[in-house]
Amino acid sequence: MHERPDGSLVEVDVSIPSQARRVVLLDNGLGAPHEYWDWVCDALPADMGYVRFNRPGYGLSTPVAQYGLHRHYALLQELRDTYVPGLPVVLAGHSLGGYFVAAYASRHPGALEGVSAVVMIDATEVTSLRHSRRTDIDRWARQSLVMEQAYAWAGLSAFRPAKNVNQQYRPEINRSYTAFLTNPCSWATAHREYRDAMTYPELTDLDCPLTVVTAENNVGDNTMHHAVQARLAAISKRSRHHFIEGSDHESALAVPDHARQVAEVIAGEPPTGRTGPERRQTATKDRPAAVRDTEREEELT
């Protein structure tokens, strides 16, 4: 547990081996615990440490009545100053966490000092989120978060988990994840974060190497989702856009093969210029030529 200056606590998991030459700071998605980075952390090279944590209100971290972007920036800076002073840092986040790390890097004074790259994994794009306000999608999202909180209070979440439905982590991680989902505070925090995200500023400029990792499959319109992700890649002049074939929003981290790709991107060389969409060659070379040609035409378009 990390104790903050105000006496509140933040649940952290820190692993920085003696041979570490760099560290990745991992920021979770909405309604998800730090354990869901487990496969990614396992696949990191020996010279790379990690810091992962639960935001206030998640897991064992002290809940707060109000949070907001600037308080989160302060927490990220505090974790860096405490656990990784003097080492280069990669900032990586999934879903809403992807937005958080990019917003911190682009908007917090001095944040880029020591940052070698930013990695956004199927990240939330707040402009599109705002455009969904008061639509059926927004109403269903809000209703679902309230329902999950009620299920947690009633003790039903353990039998019908809303996340990690395929239970592809190690048994101890699955048990911890289930305990997280059965805590009503987790869903109350997720509901607050969802409302707050509607007010967050659009990301427009990032003076840092950026990799946007996109899940191939998404609930809804895949073409629109890929276009939204491409807009995120455009905020940096040094960026790449990497697709994980066969993945969806959750499995990008929950399936070992997908998580290994994420770890490779995090640990790999950052982009030096702006590149187009890329897919793992071994995953595409066996696809029918006609399918590959169609995909290439779509990418060029």
Side-chain angles (χ1 to χ4, degrees), residues 203-215:
L203 298 173
T204 57
D205 183 62
L206 177 62
D207 188 18
C208 178
L210 168 68
T211 299
V212 172
V213 178
T214 299

Side-chain angles (χ1 to χ4, degrees), residues 4 13 17 53 70 106 118 134 159-160 169 192 251 299:
R4 306 200 67 192
D13 182 11
F53 65 99
H70 292 289
S106 63
V118 171
R134 296 189 178 91
F159 305 101
R160 192 206 53 79
Y169 291 104
R192 183 203 68 205
S251 77
E299 289 174 2

